[in-house]
Amino acid sequence: MTILVTGATGNVGRHIVNQLVKAGHHVRALTRNPSSAKLPEGVEVVYGDLTEPKTLASALNGVTGIHLITFNSDGYTPLQTGPEIVDLAQKTGVRRVTVLWNGEHGPVEKAVEASDLEWTFLQPVEFMINALQWGESIRSEGIVREPFGQSPSAIIHEADIASVAVAALIGDSHAGKTYTLTGPEVLTVFDKVRILGAEIGRDIQFFELTEDQARERMRVQGAPEDAIDFVLGWYANPPKSAYTVVPTVEQVTGRQARTFAQWVSEHVHHFI
Ligand SMILES: NC(=O)c1ccc[n+]([C@@H]2O[C@H](COP(=O)([O-])OP(=O)(O)OC[C@H]3O[C@@H](n4cnc5c(N)ncnc54)[C@H](OP(=O)(O)O)[C@@H]3O)[C@@H](O)[C@H]2O)c1
């Protein structure tokens, strides 16, 4: 059986590819840039662009399971090609699909739900890897600058999202399920900075930005106003689901969800 991983070069997809390969599965990895994909030996790396479903025909050949992302890289806009992708997948014999949530019930999710595929939706909260945005200021100044230091989040390790995806792709009891996925603990921004400092052995200072300062910083970085409103509104007043720990990772994988301290220990080189 061949499993096609879309977003294979991304934060979750790389872990899915690695875990499937380790478990002995034949993996085909989709990317728009096969020459720079840097995926493990034994992975079949193929070209495909999800915004152009006709480019997926050969990638889907012989595939029984797919991990599907639901966004296009141009600002994480929902993929509009869901119906064509799902139609093609069904015609080529795909039976099972995991779908990574992009924050809304978009065209991919709707097409998957309306299909005969065995689907599992993955709805993770904030990824631990977002902490990489602090790498530069920690390395150069030992400082993190953010607004809303008390904003809570049940951040999740990307490898845990992948472990649930792998369980759903190769196991038999996950069809029709929507899994909310969190890490094992609720952490504020202060907590994350404290854990980072302890793991890298450096006293990191936290400067709390005002909302206006944070808005200005995002403007300078080129973020559109609606995205700025969304991000700041989220951190000012996160939905309860973003800071409520659920046991799904452990229930599905049989292993406790990875901690932020573990994530930092795996990524220390980005911060020193
Ligand atoms: N970051 C968070 O805290 C968070 C929280 C909850 C949910 N999410 C969601 O999780 C998803 C992953 O987010 P991320 O930031 O970690 O992104 P990411 O995985 O780094 O995204 C890049 C991946 O998407 C692929 N891709 C993008 N557009 C494509 C297209 N048109 N055709 C084929 N492949 C395409 C890229 O493949 P190439 O090799 O072709 O470039 C690459 O593998 C998003 O839907 C995001 O909204 C994120």
Side-chain angles (χ1 to χ4, degrees):
M1 115 177 161
T2 297
I3 297 175
L4 178 69
V5 179
T6 70
T9 61
N11 293 322
V12 175
R14 276 193 190 278
H15 286 288
I16 297 178
V17 169
N18 288 339
Q19 292 179 23
L20 284 170
V21 168
K22 270 194 188 142
H25 295 279
H26 180 240
V27 181
R28 192 172 293 157
L30 191 88
T31 174
R32 291 159 301 170
N33 301 294
S35 60
S36 57
K38 295 196 179 80
L39 288 160
E41 209 167 308
V43 173
E44 191 188 345
V45 181
V46 295
Y47 171 82
D49 186 334
L50 292 162
T51 63
E52 293 181 52
K54 63 179 185 306
T55 66
L56 306 175
S58 65
L60 282 163
N61 193 22
V63 166
T64 51
I66 308 185
H67 172 72
L68 203 50
I69 57 170
T70 56
F71 65 97
N72 183 29
S73 49
D74 64 344
Y76 293 99
T77 53
L79 274 172
Q80 300 303 313
T81 46
E84 292 98 314
I85 296 169
V86 168
D87 187 44
L88 199 56
Q90 289 196 113
K91 283 185 179 142
T92 52
V94 173
R95 292 198 306 273
R96 191 171 282 179
V97 59
T98 52
V99 181
L100 182 60
W101 193 53
N102 185 36
E104 62 183 274
H105 205 67
V108 173
E109 287 89 337
K110 287 178 187 154
V112 167
E113 265 178 344
S115 75
D116 294 329
L117 296 170
E118 294 173 18
W119 54 260
T120 307
F121 290 162
L122 310 174
Q123 297 195 342
V125 297
E126 183 185 355
F127 297 0
M128 291 182 182
I129 202 164
N130 292 354
L132 284 187
Q133 67 190 312
W134 300 331
E136 161 65 24
S137 68
I138 290 177
R139 280 193 309 275
S140 59
E141 306 171 89
I143 290 175
V144 168
R145 297 178 183 84
E146 286 295 336
F148 310 116
Q150 294 290 1
S151 187
S153 173
I155 49 173
I156 182 164
H157 195 308
E158 302 72 47
D160 281 332
I161 306 168
S163 297
V164 173
V166 168
L169 285 165
I170 66 181
D172 283 330
S173 54
H174 307 285
K177 303 260 174 70
T178 296
Y179 288 136
T180 299
L181 304 174
T182 73
E185 59 194 335
V186 177
L187 300 175
T188 64
V189 183
F190 290 128
D191 294 330
K192 293 178 212 168
V193 172
R194 176 180 44 75
I195 292 168
L196 261 162
E199 287 295 321
I200 69 170
R202 181 171 182 184
D203 192 21
I204 302 173
Q205 289 182 52
F206 179 75
F207 284 163
E208 188 161 43
L209 300 178
T210 64
E211 194 169 332
D212 282 347
Q213 287 170 327
R215 179 173 292 279
E216 191 49 34
R217 182 173 70 172
M218 290 176 78
R219 275 189 189 133
V220 170
Q221 289 165 347
E225 281 311 304
D226 56 345
I228 297 176
D229 288 341
F230 176 79
V231 171
L232 293 180
W234 179 281
Y235 286 106
N237 193 14
K240 199 164 179 226
S241 56
Y243 57 88
T244 303
V245 170
V246 292
T248 320
V249 168
E250 189 168 356
Q251 286 168 350
V252 172
T253 68
R255 276 192 37 260
Q256 282 191 341
R258 295 158 170 95
T259 62
F260 186 56
Q262 176 173 348
W263 183 92
V264 177
S265 73
E266 295 163 4
H267 295 83
V268 167
H269 56 288
H270 291 284
F271 300 100
I272 56 175

